[in-house]
């Protein structure tokens, strides 16, 4: 089966950099995704890594090390609007291909 | 990107009743997924809905409690049957092709069972 571990909460100040780690155990690996969810909102896609290395999209970057079964989401120049829950997810290796989500990291950005 | 809508957006229901949630996608998709998310928790997959075949349920979820319809490639419904307060949750639908890296979610249906 699949399992993902990520910190439950992180607090940072505006303008800072924060890293949210995710370790995973999977029976097959099809890439690591990150989703953002604001309170009362739906999860929205942030990034996807299938290969080792860093993917950068504006202020957000995501890193993957397949040999370590580890990835992280890096948020730079934090803004108040970045306060949200962040979920790492892997795709089920079975035929359905659905996403399996971690428990989520609640990020609070303080002024 | 897919645009997904859900109806109703929220509801308050009495125990023992049933509620059907509708999910509409603006394009044809192979699979649709139904998730449950309890407050402050992660998303848990209920079932996968394929057009033309019975839904596939995850461990802990059964068809009698959560019947699903998938009449075409853009629409699905999830019914929460014989509700109890433990069913109070957010129910989200999502699209999927099984291999694409991005998965889009509907806005969710917030259900409160009294």
């Amino acid at each position: 089966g699949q399992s993902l571990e990520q910190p439950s909460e992180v607090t940072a100040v505006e303008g800072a950099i924060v890293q949210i780690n995710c370790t995973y155990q999977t029976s097959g690996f099809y890439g690591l995704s990150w989703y953002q969810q604001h309170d009362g909102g739906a999860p929205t896609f942030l990034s996807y890594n299938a290969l080792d290395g860093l993917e950068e999209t504006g202020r957000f970057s995501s890193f993957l090390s397949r040999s370590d079964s580890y990835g992280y989401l890096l948020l730079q120049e934090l803004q108040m609007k970045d306060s949200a829950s962040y979920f790492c997810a892997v795709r089920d290796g079975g035929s359905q291909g659905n996403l399996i989500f971690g428990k989520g990291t609640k990020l609070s950005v303080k002024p | 990107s897919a645009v997904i809508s859900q109806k109703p957006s929220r509801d308050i229901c009495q125990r023992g009743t049933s509620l059907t949630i509708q999910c509409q996608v603006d394009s044809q998709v192979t699979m649709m997924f139904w998730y449950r998310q309890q407050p402050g928790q992660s998303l848990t997959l209920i079932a996968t809905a394929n057009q033309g075949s019975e839904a596939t349920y995850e461990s802990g979820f059964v068809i009698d409690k959560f019947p699903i319809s998938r009449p075409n490639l853009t629409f699905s419904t999830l019914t929460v049957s014989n509700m109890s307060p433990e069913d109070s949750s957010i129910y989200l639908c999502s699209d999927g092709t099984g291999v694409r890296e991005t998965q889009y979610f509907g806005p969710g249906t917030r259900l409160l069972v009294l």
Side-chain angles (χ1 to χ4, degrees):
Chain A
Q2 282 84 358
S3 68
L4 300 100
E5 295 289 332
Q6 54 182 128
S8 59
E9 293 184 32
V10 173
T11 301
V13 297
E14 271 187 303
I17 300 173
V18 71
Q19 179 174 312
I20 300 174
N21 299 320
C22 175
T23 57
Y24 58 87
Q25 288 186 319
T26 61
S27 54
F29 184 70
Y30 297 85
L32 183 70
S33 300
W34 288 92
Y35 283 77
Q36 178 192 59
Q37 186 179 32
H38 288 97
D39 283 347
T44 56
F45 172 80
L46 286 179
S47 68
Y48 172 76
N49 294 69
L51 302 175
D52 290 354
L54 190 68
E55 295 281 341
E56 298 182 64
T57 308
R59 294 187 297 114
F60 295 179
S61 303
S62 58
F63 172 83
L64 176 67
S65 169
R66 288 176 298 170
S67 60
D68 295 323
S69 297
Y70 163 75
Y72 66 71
L73 179 69
L74 190 73
L75 299 87
Q76 303 182 73
E77 301 172 21
L78 280 175
Q79 302 175 10
M80 298 294 290
K81 67 179 182 179
D82 297 329
S83 293
S85 291
Y86 293 84
F87 296 89
C88 57
V90 293
R91 198 162 291 283
D92 184 349
S95 61
Q96 309 294 351
N98 55 277
L99 285 173
I100 309 296
F101 287 85
K103 294 188 183 302
T105 299
K106 187 172 179 62
L107 171 65
S108 298
V109 181
K110 307 293 186 185
Chain B
S1 63
V3 176
I4 302 176
S5 60
Q6 286 183 236
K7 287 195 296 187
S9 58
R10 62 180 67 241
D11 208 342
I12 301 173
C13 301
Q14 297 297 318
R15 69 170 66 211
T17 62
S18 297
L19 176 73
T20 295
I21 303 168
Q22 299 179 12
C23 179
Q24 180 77 52
V25 187
D26 69 343
S27 58
Q28 294 185 341
V29 293
T30 308
M31 286 177 284
M32 293 176 74
F33 303 111
W34 286 97
Y35 288 85
R36 183 171 72 183
Q37 185 178 31
Q38 295 179 319
Q41 302 297 313
S42 187
L43 289 82
T44 300
L45 183 67
I46 297 171
T48 303
N50 298 316
Q51 196 267 337
S53 64
E54 284 195 3
T56 305
Y57 289 84
E58 297 300 303
S59 176
F61 298 96
V62 296
I63 188 171
D64 289 347
K65 175 68 176 176
F66 297 101
I68 286 172
S69 78
R70 183 81 199 274
N72 57 54
L73 291 174
T74 64
F75 186 79
S76 179
T77 68
L78 170 77
T79 298
V80 186
S81 303
N82 188 25
M83 289 184 284
S84 67
E86 290 72 33
D87 295 319
S88 298
S89 191
I90 301 170
Y91 292 85
L92 297 131
C93 68
S94 173
D95 71 335
T97 64
V99 296
R100 199 183 66 211
E101 61 191 60
T102 308
Q103 196 163 313
Y104 297 98
F105 287 83
T109 295
R110 284 150 186 79
L111 172 62
L112 176 63
V113 184
L114 302 177

